[in-house]
């Protein structure tokens, strides 16, 4: 499926990738298509009283594109969805986006541990409140919790976020399909946590490279301004 057409009055789309299960290699025949991306707002919006929207999104198909300034803030905080986008197979070749990909390691720091564990812990807390047997919704939620923990493990190994799960697909698919006995859910969760805790955070910088992100934002804003107030490519 081709990505939806970009509306140029918003600015210039510089990154675009498939998101969700199709990005992870966990799709089924009925999986939806999700699209994620980053755009640089038209200078007319940047210099307006209201400023540019923080993001552009649509429901059908599922589209979410961050404006560059807000994307950088989320990425610096270790937001899993934003970091995944930087390690995803890109569908665009805009050179501004290539410059952003060149500095993607600047966003890896101990902030990732807090962000990833925060997302996973919140999902686990929701699951523990479920009374009775889990249904398809809970199994899918648990699968994504495990996927986040595996992705954090990959970051701690120095390989960046895990997007396409590869050899983990059979296990995660089994989790999603409800193929694990209930006692194995707890065992898998504890095993992933133990593995991450043993690895520790010493391999990660204490903070991301804020100045690198700041420099890129200034550069891309100036590049957009130099093109004039009509970024309609």
């Amino acid at each position: 499926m081709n990505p939806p057409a970009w509306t140029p009055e918003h600015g210039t789309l510089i990154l675009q990738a498939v998101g969700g299960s199709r990005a992870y290699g966990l799709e089924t025949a009925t999986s939806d298509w999700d699209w994620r991306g980053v755009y640089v707002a038209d200078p007319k919006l940047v210099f307006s009283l209201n400023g540019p929207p923080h993001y552009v999104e649509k429901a059908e198909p599922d589209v979410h594109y961050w404006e560059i300034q807000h994307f950088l803030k989320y990425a610096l905080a270790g937001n899993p969805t934003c970091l995944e986008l930087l390690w995803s197979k890109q569908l665009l070749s805009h050179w501004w986006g290539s410059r952003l990909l060149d500095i993607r390691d600047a966003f890896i720091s101990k902030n990732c541990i807090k962000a990833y564990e925060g997302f996973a812990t919140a999902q686990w807390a929701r699951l523990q409140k479920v009374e009775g047997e889990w249904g398809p919704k809970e199994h899918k939620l648990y699968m994504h919790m495990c996927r986040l923990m595996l992705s954090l493990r990959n970051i701690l190994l120095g390989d960046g976020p895990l997007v396409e799960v590869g050899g983990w697909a059979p296990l995660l698919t089994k989790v999603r399909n409800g193929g694990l006995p209930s006692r194995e859910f707890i065992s898998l969760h504890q095993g992933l946590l133990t593995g991450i805790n043993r690895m520790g955070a010493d391999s990660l910088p204490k903070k991301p490279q804020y100045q690198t992100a700041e420099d890129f934002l200034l550069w891309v804003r100036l590049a957009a301004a130099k093109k004039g107030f009509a970024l309609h490519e």
Side-chain angles (χ1 to χ4, degrees), residues 24-230:
Y24 309 139
L26 296 169
E27 74 273 13
T28 66
T30 59
S31 293
D32 295 331
W33 285 88
D34 304 328
W35 307 95
R36 300 293 179 261
V38 180
Y39 76 100
V40 177
D42 189 305
K44 290 184 292 185
L45 295 174
V46 174
F47 296 120
S48 67
L49 289 175
N50 294 325
H54 294 183
Y55 53 83
V56 173
E57 65 177 358
K58 297 179 182 178
E60 294 184 5
D62 186 349
V63 171
H64 192 104
Y65 296 149
W66 292 272
E67 207 283 319
I68 182 61
Q69 182 171 344
H70 300 282
F71 177 84
L72 293 175
K73 289 180 179 179
Y74 289 136
L76 288 167
N79 179 279
T81 308
C82 291
L83 293 182
E84 284 173 2
L85 177 56
L86 293 175
W87 268 262
S88 294
K89 182 179 179 181
Q90 298 298 318
L91 303 176
L92 285 178
S93 58
H94 196 287
W95 70 287
W96 294 354
S98 296
R99 287 283 294 265
L100 177 55
L101 295 178
D102 287 342
I103 63 167
R104 66 185 185 179
D105 288 335
F107 301 100
I108 298 298
S109 73
K110 292 182 179 179
N111 287 352
C112 296
I113 298 175
K114 181 179 180 180
Y116 277 74
E117 288 187 344
F119 275 80
T121 300
Q123 291 179 352
W124 182 242
R126 288 172 59 188
L127 288 168
Q128 288 184 307
K129 294 178 181 179
V130 176
E131 297 180 359
E133 295 294 324
W134 287 0
K137 180 179 178 181
E138 288 75 28
H139 288 127
K140 184 176 181 180
L141 190 65
Y142 184 74
M143 178 195 72
H144 284 299
M145 185 204 76
C146 294
R147 184 187 57 77
L148 282 171
M149 297 175 75
L150 289 169
S151 188
L152 176 57
R153 174 182 177 275
N154 223 51
I155 291 172
L156 293 171
L157 287 171
D159 296 326
L162 181 67
V163 181
E164 189 168 354
V165 299
W168 293 104
L171 173 61
L172 294 174
T173 300
K174 187 176 182 180
V175 169
R176 181 186 60 199
N177 295 340
L180 285 182
S182 58
R183 64 181 181 275
E184 291 189 29
F185 286 119
I186 303 297
S187 177
L188 177 58
H189 177 243
Q190 291 177 340
L192 288 171
L193 275 179
T194 300
I196 288 172
N197 290 334
R198 284 177 177 172
M199 294 172 72
D202 293 341
S203 61
L204 300 182
K206 183 177 181 180
K207 296 180 180 180
Q209 298 175 33
Y210 290 104
Q211 191 59 54
T212 299
E214 191 80 53
D215 290 345
F216 176 80
L217 180 61
L218 177 60
W219 175 83
V220 80
R221 288 283 192 235
L222 290 173
K226 287 178 181 179
K227 288 188 64 176
F229 285 359

